[in-house]
Amino acid sequence: MLKRLFFPLLIATFVLSAISHYLHWGPEITFGLSAIAIVFVAGFLGKATEAVAHYAGQRLGGFLNATFGNAAELIISIFLIKEGMFAIVKASLTGAIIGNLLLVLGVSALAGGLKYKEQRFNIHLAGQNASLMMLAVIALFIPAVFVKTENIPETQTMTMSIIVAAFLIFAYLGWLFYSMFTHKDMLEDHVDTQADHGEQPAWSRMRSILYLILATVMVAFVSEWLVHTLDTFTSRFGLSELFVGAFVVAIIGNAAEHSAAVMLAMKNKMGAAVEIAVGSSLQIALFVAPVLVFVSLLFQENMNLIFTTIELAAIGVAVLIATSISRDGATTWYEGKLLLIVYVILGVAFYFV
Amino acid sequence: MLKRLFFPLLIATFVLSAISHYLHWGPEITFGLSAIAIVFVAGFLGKATEAVAHYAGQRLGGFLNATFGNAAELIISIFLIKEGMFAIVKASLTGAIIGNLLLVLGVSALAGGLKYKEQRFNIHLAGQNASLMMLAVIALFIPAVFVKTENIPETQTMTMSIIVAAFLIFAYLGWLFYSMFTHKDMLEDHVDTQADHGEQPAWSRMRSILYLILATVMVAFVSEWLVHTLDTFTSRFGLSELFVGAFVVAIIGNAAEHSAAVMLAMKNKMGAAVEIAVGSSLQIALFVAPVLVFVSLLFQENMNLIFTTIELAAIGVAVLIATSISRDGATTWYEGKLLLIVYVILGVAFYFV
Amino acid sequence: MLKRLFFPLLIATFVLSAISHYLHWGPEITFGLSAIAIVFVAGFLGKATEAVAHYAGQRLGGFLNATFGNAAELIISIFLIKEGMFAIVKASLTGAIIGNLLLVLGVSALAGGLKYKEQRFNIHLAGQNASLMMLAVIALFIPAVFVKTENIPETQTMTMSIIVAAFLIFAYLGWLFYSMFTHKDMLEDHVDTQADHGEQPAWSRMRSILYLILATVMVAFVSEWLVHTLDTFTSRFGLSELFVGAFVVAIIGNAAEHSAAVMLAMKNKMGAAVEIAVGSSLQIALFVAPVLVFVSLLFQENMNLIFTTIELAAIGVAVLIATSISRDGATTWYEGKLLLIVYVILGVAFYFV
């Protein structure tokens, strides 16, 4: 019954929130409609990802999902950089990283863990992910420490940021080459290899890829409509821009990854859920953030890679606890709960700034 | 011979130090008598714990021991909070955490390691303990960083502390539920399962539990008498309150855990020793400290959760090295030595403040 | 062909750079000649180490190499301390630690990893190395935090440094006893045990040890001649003393370890390569640095153990990423690349100070 109503409701809520956004029905109505719409489009994306993962293997499926999810993040950030709103960009990048590592991974581990006692995934991948997350923390932390303790002038800070950004992109491309080609077999989940590759016709695979692209585009649009209504809420509820950027925007912006990861975890495909959550944070830190530094060179004001102390502290502790929990290649419900508690503690701290 | 004299000496030294304390024979005499008495009561507690662990399994035995050990800590702290002596409370909580992770665990690993080449314990438990200790560090670190860099007013700091404290207690209760119920089997030591459960009559079990309670109460009393003599020593030897709180009080206050853990380690029950040492630190950080924040609400002045930079640094490095050493589920004599050296380095640094 | 020319070229370049140094042919010529000479003497050292490792086992061979390599470091530092140039000594110690952990280990893992898909080594050793590196970080970090936040006077800082230095040497001697005697078997690489110990006559073993000593002495000399030419380059290229000390001097000073480690890694003896790289950093942090504190007591001005914030940050992140990568007892080409990227990021940051 609910299954048969899914597509009509998906289309109806999507179209209604589009109309509300473009015909300016007011922020309250647009917020309400697109908040409902995002539940359906995120659900659609989850299903599409799962279908692709079925053919592509858990890792490639997870990677595709992370990439499509972060495309929206990248596009929104470019508009913000054009306006010179660097503080909000950095806050939302921070929010995306900690949201994926703590909220998405936490809910996945908790929801999956309530159903399965222990959920295993590739231990090599967990170790490599941990090292990559540490590289990201180091690359953000080192320039900040040097700039803050040694009074380095702004032009040199920008040069330093550009060089570090170039090396981060270089590291990310190397990681893709490594995980997709030279060491693909070592980093794969062996749990799911009995998947019936190729038993279904080619057009069925094509269709699931098209669905994935369509679902991602829909999520991107609805996310943006929602974000546009936030200004009103920020002023009405007295929330700081930092809090809205790092938590509200990040939660909405990650709805896609969120629902996809949780659905996979509940089907005991924790490897794919981890790939989405951790893969998405890695992509933000090692690819989206440095690309934005280069993008900012096209505009009048340039954005450096220096994050604030509290942003660095938040990213640092998120990486620390996520790494500690996932390093053994397994999660349980309680580990999910721990991640969520750290997320709440960070949320409380950001709220009071 | 020594065995037959144990109980008479235990009672004699206990009674003598009680008389000296209540009849005010002077701090020097009370210190000397209760220092001797604590050796015997701690030994008694060690034996009682071992007897209970024999029936209850290593983990529950260790948990009971940690709880009874920290009851004294909690009671003393409440009296200090009533007097508004927050700095000493935080110093002694810091001292209890680092004392358990470095001194108790270090001496256990060293003493056990001199007898057995390598002592193994449950590797799952070691990993979970590491994640929980990180949660504790994060929960103390994040509010401190935010308060120190963003100039958050005192009332908001107190609100933040209360919320964080509530989530820490929530995390601790979840941990008990997880480790005692849903994942009990995964976190147990399988080394000792051949223990003759239930071969002895029920009254024998009852007796060992009664002994455990009695021993804990005796330790609590003698510890307090000892602590009362410290003021004189502080002024006479020119030690700072911080040093006395974090090292002298903590060493005496942990005498119970200390002797119990070392005795278990020397009988190759390293799992139970780790449970006492790490379990006790976790209980201090995730339960005792946040409970004290709530207790302080009953009095005029309220205590927040913001520790000083050097206290956070001490807790942070203690967790780092204890985690690094125990993560592989095994200890050797040299790892014990490393923990003790870190303890001495911290002691030296606190001494010079 | 190249093989037959090796020894003549080794002796020719060594003698020529010696003449250029002592007859003052000028810094440019001395730099050029000794830069070529160091390629040959480092190659010679690599071969000699390999021959000794063949008899002595990978670990003892690695240890011998690290010790001979750091002898040069120690001697140069003593001359600098005599002149009161403490900042350069600390910068070059920092550079030696991060150079070994990131550059030497990174190039070894990358070069070895391009040839072998995954290179395994003793996982116990990796864990113990990680704990020891953490001890080193803690021992440098704790006094610095206390001194910087609590305004401890200089005389007390010096006393604190002496006590901490004594305990670091105590830790290092314990580690030698542990890894060479009590737990030798647990920390050995079992990959290479089929080595034909004792099949060759005794004089052949003697000769390889003599070659090792000779090669080390030659490296020490050429390194010093090179270092003497650096002043000219520092002023001509506008580099800071900090950058030259931490990067240029450290790279040249570690040429020996570097070439030996890379050669071993390319022969799939990653265990020995790790031993050289990590063992050398440990020796610098736990032995050379504290010994220098004691040596400085013989001169008028004394050197404490307090490093600058950026030096501590650099050492901290190097240990973090090297530990994360080596903890699983295996390396791949991409992990080598990650280490090198962190090294470049640190280099860029130091360059801009």
Side-chain angles (χ1 to χ4, degrees), chain B residues 232-246:
Chain B
T232 320
F233 283 80
T234 310
S235 52
R236 193 165 300 171
F237 293 105
L239 300 168
S240 72
E241 273 190 342
L242 184 70
F243 182 80
V244 173

Side-chain angles (χ1 to χ4, degrees), chain B residues 184-202:
Chain B
K184 188 172 181 291
D185 54 330
M186 216 169 88
L187 301 170
E188 258 171 359
D189 269 303
H190 298 292
V191 192
D192 202 37
T193 40
Q194 68 276 31
D196 40 349
H197 296 288
E199 279 187 16
Q200 304 205 8

